[in-house]
Amino acid sequence: MTDRAALPENAHKLSGADVLETLSVSASEGLSDHGVRESRARYGGNTIEARKKVQPFVVLLHQVKSPVVYLLGAAAVLALYFREWTQGAAILVVLALNSAIGFGTEIKAARSIEALRTLGTRSARVRRNGKVVVVPAEDLVVGDIVLLEGGDGVSADIRLIEASNVGADESALTGESVAVDKSHEPVASDAPVADRASMLFKGTFVTRGSGTGIVVAVGPGTQLGRISQLAEEAQPDDSPLEKGLAKLSGQLVWATLILTALIAGTGILKGEDVLLMVDSAIALAVAAIPEGLPVVATLTLARGMWRMARQNALIERLPAVEVLGATTVILTDKTGTLTENRMAVRHLWVPDEGMELTPAEDDGAPDTPEQDLENRPLFGQLVEVAVLCNNAALGEEETDHSGDPMEQALLRLGERTGLAQRTLLALHPRVGETAFDASTKMMATVHTDGTRFFYAVKGAPEMVLRRVAFIATADGVSVMDDARRAECINRIETLGLQGLRVLACATKTAETADENPYTGLTLLGLIGLEDPARADVPEAIRGCREAGIRVVMVTGDHAVTARSIARNVGLGSEASRMVDGPKLSGMDGSKTGKLLETDIFSRVTPSEKLALVQAYQNSGEIVAMTGDGVNDAPALRQADIGIAMGQRGTDVARQAAAMILLDDAFPTIVKAVREGRIIFGNIRRFAAYLLSCNLSEVLVVGIAVLSGLPLPILSLQILYLNLVTDVFPAFALALGEGEKDIMKHPPRPPKEPILGLVQWSAIIAQSLVLTAGTFGALFAAELWLAPDPGELVTITFLTLAFSQLWHVFNMRHRRSGMFRNEVTRNAWVWSAIVLCILLLAVPAYIPMVADILQIVPPDRDMWLIILGMSVGPLAINQIGALMFGRFRS
Ligand code: ATP
């Protein structure tokens, strides 16, 4: 017997039986609860830091390493150099405050995104206490018997003890991108990891076939765990939004530097006081930069992801949040997305005879008296094959069931008709399998009674029909002639028209277990399964139509069934075009246009799905596509938004997707699109808001310096506006619920940037109006009040501050009403306004703050000017919006 501790390194060269013996585990029973506890105590649990946690230090560095900080830092140094102590210290304090807010927001966002990831964790099918159960991947222990099939992620190092046509993608471990063949045969003891065909390694994927294996290493003891740098997955990329904002910040810094140098240079040349010019330059520098922008952006994205997760849409790639809102076509599969995926057998057909099954009241399974089948052997044989050729397992509770819901329905049928899987397998042990393949659309298992081999085949009826040579009838087996074939096809259509998913079962006996399972078959009959349409789908599809989004069904199922389900959920119309998958392979440029008007694509294989996604993209669409199988991965990656199914999807599909539907439901996609549109609108709103506020400050300072007027707003005051008061309305805008009719309009053009020409024009026009208001206040005060410099700057500062506050109401969508819109309906906006009024009005009456901000308590006349000149710009901008509405976002 081998040393247990050396197993991870030796298991590949031992026989499966040896490994089982070494770990004292029975393949048919698996570990007991006690065995699991003991193993965990001895070898540890199955966790390694799969994803590197975001380190606080890195986040802090991220705050400090921004051009904005450099610029403000330089301004502070300059201020200190010229002995402007208060100003220098205040800039530093503000800088620290801003970094602290940024740090807090970013770390919270990072942690919440990390928490979100755990929602989508993997599970594994294991045999414990003689039963198949599904456990979280972290709960695997050494000695667990794991059942694997194509699409599963491998969550521990596993020695295969049974394998049918297993292939694995080990690129994560070995860099080899071609799938490698696996088998249960031992390999040479000196084989390198890449050649250990008898092993499956943590972090890799099973791409095809099915098998059983025993866990020999978990967590840090696995090959992956040992290569620690692999475990630290690459950090996810910044989203396009974040990249765009970083670029914008950089550009603004440069523009500011040039502008500052120009203005200060001109001033000094004109003989102005150098100190005054430095002051102005600092004011300009801080005015130009929207310090709050990155913080609000991070918050919006993180919050958007949470809101989506609460609605069962888990975002895997950040860019998806923004792209979702631009989706123009959704390619959706049928089973489980448009339907409930709660299958029940409703019809059995054997030659010349059909049997309707009514659902029983308890669990929706058909209620068929056992003796019914005993007296009707043809039906018995049909059910027997359906139960044998099956990879699902029924547990005691419904939650313990595992495997494909369709196969579970077949097993339930077996239980109710006295043909339970356990009993049948005891009589005819399984000795081989040809796993289900989405392109052949069939699967086969081989069984033996000790002397001969018995092949059980089930699959898409037209595929099986092509392979059958005989048909079992009441009078015995006869040759499959054209008349019989036509009768079958007719029956398939009839069942399909009722919306049933149809399977055909066939069989053969042979002398060996390694024949091609799909030749010389005898057809036993057809099984019609019902899968009710989801009740909430029709409304979601109507919603998509209103939102200008096309919904196209792309299914592996038969055309007739697909159309019937489509009709039930209100997809397409009676006149809808339908195209069969195989027609897609000859797709050439000239015919694509017409083809893309199709509403239903049936019998589509995964490679045809990929071609379809590309064809839609070439015609300028933004494509969201759902997928669940291993072979869907390329199409999911190709789509603008690949959507994997959380419950039914394979790990491979999830890995390739940008979004995971935790409930597998179509309406969730529509909710996510809506959320995507809201987020995009909010980002646009707060970016436009912050930038127009900044621009107005630059214009106020720039114009004053160039025309020799006293500075209407001082650098500390600008900082106060940018970092304290502007941020709250911006946060409030980011928390908005979007326009009421956001899903009643077509998607935005895909290439439209967050801030395009239209938005920039509005930003410039609006900030000019804000600037005019401030100068209006300056002139009015000079004219009526003859103020001292302290009073004057108080008036102009507060005028600009309040006009920026009211400016938030200009951020409504051009289609929304002037008084009732998404901004006025947003309670956060009103709270932000109250808070900012307190933050602006109160400092003037608190001597210490007033001193630092260099303002005085305003009297009644000053307040009148401030309010008049700050409300004025709001009115003008609203009138402008009415006249030039189309120039607004
Ligand atoms: P959708 O793509 O909308 O989910 P689907 O589930 O019917 O539809 P596939 O999973 O590609 O698509 O299946 C295609 C066909 O293959 C099915 O209609 C069925 O006839 C057959 N089939 C599916 N699963 C099995 C299986 N486990 N064993 C045998 N045949 C199967």
Side-chain angles (χ1 to χ4, degrees):
M1 199 149 97
T2 331
D3 176 13
R4 282 181 169 213
L7 256 192
E9 271 313 313
N10 289 333
H12 63 280
K13 65 172 188 195
L14 303 173
S15 71
D18 270 353
V19 178
L20 286 168
E21 197 191 324
T22 309
L23 290 170
S24 323
V25 182
S26 132
S28 58
E29 286 296 312
L31 288 172
S32 62
D33 289 341
H34 173 71
V36 171
R37 278 195 298 277
E38 206 178 57
S39 172
R40 187 167 298 128
R42 187 163 177 177
Y43 303 101
N46 189 27
T47 41
I48 39 177
E49 281 288 88
R51 243 175 238 270
K52 199 178 171 190
K53 272 190 146 184
V54 176
Q55 298 298 324
F57 173 71
V58 178
V59 177
L60 193 63
L61 213 64
H62 196 222
Q63 308 301 316
V64 181
K65 264 173 46 186
S66 105
V68 176
V69 172
Y70 301 154
L71 193 71
L72 287 181
V77 171
L78 217 59
L80 293 175
Y81 179 79
F82 283 99
R83 297 176 180 277
E84 301 258 348
W85 304 119
T86 333
Q87 192 172 0
I91 298 181
L92 287 178
V93 167
V94 158
L95 205 57
L97 249 170
N98 188 239
S99 300
I101 298 177
F103 175 78
T105 317
E106 200 169 309
I107 205 118
K108 193 159 170 267
R111 292 280 175 264
S112 72
I113 290 169
E114 274 163 14
L116 274 179
R117 301 239 179 269
T118 59
L119 291 179
T121 45
R122 292 209 183 128
S123 50
R125 285 216 294 164
V126 295
R127 196 171 288 141
R128 284 183 184 170
N129 303 308
K131 283 191 233 134
V132 177
V133 287
V134 178
V135 297
E138 301 90 73
D139 288 0
L140 283 181
V141 294
V142 170
D144 258 330
I145 303 292
V146 183
L147 279 61
L148 293 141
E149 55 187 50
D152 287 350
V154 183
S155 304
D157 283 4
I158 292 171
R159 170 66 169 86
L160 279 168
I161 45 183
E162 228 179 77
S164 152
N165 188 27
V166 175
D169 170 356
E170 296 191 332
S171 52
L173 200 62
T174 60
E176 171 62 59
S177 58
V178 182
V180 281
D181 292 335
K182 297 285 177 180
S183 96
H184 64 278
E185 301 289 342
V187 295
S189 64
D190 58 350
V193 171
D195 295 339
R196 294 183 186 170
S198 53
M199 296 286 300
L200 289 171
F201 297 104
K202 185 179 173 85
T204 65
F205 290 98
V206 180
T207 53
R208 62 177 144 78
S210 61
T212 310
I214 177 164
V215 174
V216 295
V218 290
T222 57
Q223 293 295 335
L224 182 80
R226 279 185 261 169
I227 316 169
S228 59
Q229 73 269 26
L230 259 180
E232 295 174 2
E233 259 178 43
Q235 291 284 314
D237 255 359
D238 277 350
S239 79
L241 166 73
E242 287 174 310
K243 281 190 199 138
L245 286 180
K247 202 169 137 205
L248 187 71
S249 290
Q251 286 167 345
L252 279 174
V253 167
W254 280 112
T256 312
L257 283 180
I258 296 169
L259 200 71
T260 318
L262 264 179
I263 292 179
T266 331
I268 293 170
L269 283 182
K270 277 193 348 204
E272 300 272 0
D273 179 21
V274 177
L275 201 62
L276 181 71
M277 283 301 106
V278 170
D279 235 9
S280 316
I282 295 175
L284 262 179
V286 293
I289 305 211
E291 288 87 351
L293 204 53
V295 178
V296 188
T298 310
L299 176 95
T300 314
L301 285 180
R303 179 169 174 274
M305 287 173 77
W306 261 108
R307 280 174 60 111
M308 291 198 196
R310 265 207 304 270
Q311 307 192 44
N312 285 325
L314 200 61
I315 296 292
E316 282 288 290
R317 307 222 159 94
L318 216 46
V321 180
E322 300 156 57
V323 189
L324 260 173
T327 305
T328 57
V329 44
I330 302 176
L331 306 184
T332 173
D333 56 5
K334 171 179 67 66
T335 311
T337 315
L338 300 177
T339 66
E340 301 250 8
N341 210 10
R342 271 196 300 113
M343 305 241 184
V345 179
R346 295 303 307 275
H347 193 96
L348 299 177
W349 180 85
V350 293
D352 310 320
E353 206 178 350
M355 185 193 287
E356 283 301 325
L357 303 163
T358 45
E361 269 158 26
D362 53 0
D363 63 350
D367 190 13
T368 309
E370 195 176 309
Q371 60 272 29
D372 241 21
L373 294 196
E374 267 175 15
N375 302 330
R376 298 158 96 174
L378 285 182
F379 284 110
Q381 276 178 39
L382 177 67
V383 177
E384 210 172 295
V385 164
V387 171
L388 283 176
C389 182
N390 200 311
N391 278 330
L394 296 184
E396 254 147 50
E397 298 291 321
E398 203 180 320
T399 44
D400 297 336
H401 299 345
S402 66
D404 181 1
M406 178 184 74
E407 297 197 330
Q408 288 181 27
L410 298 175
L411 293 188
R412 280 207 303 274
L413 173 70
E415 299 234 316
R416 305 198 133 233
T417 51
L419 296 167
Q421 189 187 31
R422 236 170 202 275
T423 331
L424 289 184
L425 280 177
L427 290 174
H428 314 282
R430 191 204 266 206
V431 289
E433 178 193 351
T434 306
F436 174 73
D437 177 337
S439 46
T440 61
K441 296 189 168 58
M442 292 184 288
M443 80 172 267
T445 53
V446 193
H447 305 263
T448 181
D449 56 7
T451 46
R452 309 200 63 202
F453 294 93
F454 169 71
Y455 286 72
V457 174
K458 78 177 191 308
E462 70 281 16
M463 300 302 232
V464 177
L465 267 189
R466 255 183 247 162
R467 318 295 174 106
V468 296
F470 309 99
I471 183 164
T473 67
D475 307 326
V477 173
S478 59
V479 173
M480 186 79 174
D481 56 20
D482 287 348
R484 282 284 184 198
R485 209 172 280 276
E487 188 192 343
C488 290
I489 293 174
N490 198 357
R491 189 51 68 150
I492 296 166
E493 294 250 323
T494 319
L495 295 177
L497 277 176
Q498 297 168 28
L500 299 183
R501 175 189 240 217
V502 191
L503 275 184
C505 291
T507 178
K508 72 172 173 182
T509 41
E511 297 302 319
T512 60
D514 50 9
E515 277 199 12
N516 175 350
Y518 302 134
T519 53
L521 290 169
T522 302
L523 183 77
L524 294 176
L526 302 172
I527 300 179
L529 295 111
E530 182 184 55
D531 181 12
R534 281 179 190 265
D536 47 1
V537 169
E539 199 193 319
I541 290 186
R542 260 197 309 281
C544 283
R545 206 166 289 143
E546 281 182 352
I549 303 167
R550 274 197 64 198
V551 182
V552 180
M553 185 198 279
V554 182
T555 173
D557 212 333
H558 193 277
V560 182
T561 311
R563 186 190 286 267
S564 156
I565 298 283
R567 196 183 306 120
N568 285 349
V569 298
L571 194 153
S573 62
E574 276 308 310
S576 281
R577 271 172 61 84
M578 292 197 48
V579 169
D580 246 6
K583 296 215 184 85
L584 290 176
S585 42
M587 201 156 56
D588 67 19
S590 57
K591 290 203 210 107
T592 351
K594 211 99 206 91
L595 210 60
L596 296 186
E597 285 162 24
T598 310
D599 291 314
I600 304 162
F601 293 94
S602 54
R603 286 294 187 230
V604 177
T605 63
S607 62
E608 289 155 2
K609 271 193 188 177
L610 176 64
L612 205 54
V613 171
Q614 282 166 334
Y616 275 106
Q617 285 175 329
N618 290 342
S619 68
E621 308 275 2
I622 297 287
V623 185
M625 196 205 81
T626 66
D628 49 11
V630 197
N631 305 341
D632 288 339
L636 285 176
R637 256 187 232 112
Q638 174 70 33
D640 299 280
I641 312 265
I643 304 170
M645 301 301 152
Q647 296 174 6
R648 158 171 62 92
T650 55
D651 294 334
V652 177
R654 284 153 156 249
Q655 183 90 349
M659 184 167 107
I660 295 176
L661 293 188
L662 295 177
D663 59 358
D664 292 9
F666 179 80
T668 305
I669 308 179
V670 186
K671 287 185 202 149
V673 169
R674 179 192 161 84
E675 208 55 52
R677 287 189 179 188
I678 294 178
I679 292 172
F680 187 86
N682 285 347
I683 291 174
R684 189 172 255 183
R685 258 187 278 275
F686 73 68
Y689 175 73
L690 286 176
L691 289 170
S692 46
C693 288
N694 282 87
L695 189 58
S696 64
E697 291 156 15
V698 173
L699 288 171
V700 166
V701 176
I703 293 174
V705 172
L706 288 176
S707 53
L709 287 168
L711 274 187
I713 173 163
L714 310 174
S715 35
L716 270 188
Q717 296 169 348
I718 297 177
L719 269 183
Y720 192 71
L721 287 189
N722 285 4
L723 291 175
V724 185
T725 61
D726 286 354
V727 176
F728 294 105
F731 266 128
L733 287 174
L735 299 179
E737 297 287 332
E739 305 92 86
K740 266 209 168 118
D741 58 354
I742 200 161
M743 288 298 272
K744 302 244 181 309
H745 297 280
R748 67 168 200 271
K751 293 240 165 63
E752 194 177 293
I754 291 185
L755 298 176
L757 190 66
V758 173
Q759 289 73 34
W760 276 113
S761 317
I763 290 173
I764 293 172
Q766 289 170 351
S767 46
L768 278 171
V769 177
L770 296 185
T771 310
T774 308
F775 282 108
L778 189 138
F779 293 129
E782 296 270 20
L783 203 66
W784 293 320
L785 303 181
D788 65 26
E791 286 170 343
L792 188 64
V793 85
T794 302
I795 292 175
T796 43
F797 161 61
L798 287 179
T799 304
L800 184 59
F802 279 106
S803 55
Q804 288 190 351
L805 199 53
W806 316 142
H807 180 48
V808 73
F809 294 112
N810 292 326
M811 293 300 123
R812 65 183 169 87
H813 194 281
R814 67 187 149 85
R815 283 192 302 259
S816 308
M818 188 184 278
F819 297 107
R820 294 171 67 109
N821 55 51
E822 64 281 5
V823 181
T824 53
R825 258 189 288 117
N826 182 345
W828 292 104
V829 166
W830 293 104
S831 320
I833 287 182
V834 172
L835 180 66
C836 287
I837 290 178
L838 292 177
L839 286 169
L840 285 170
V842 175
Y845 300 102
I846 303 174
M848 211 183 79
V849 188
D851 273 359
I852 296 177
L853 285 177
Q854 302 180 38
I855 50 177
V856 296
D859 59 21
R860 198 200 57 181
D861 289 344
M862 287 163 74
W863 271 125
L864 279 178
I865 294 183
I866 294 167
L867 289 180
M869 288 300 172
S870 62
V871 174
L874 173 66
I876 295 175
N877 276 329
Q878 289 288 340
I879 294 170
L882 280 185
M883 289 165 62
F884 305 104
R886 65 202 171 84
F887 289 122
R888 305 241 350 272
S889 62

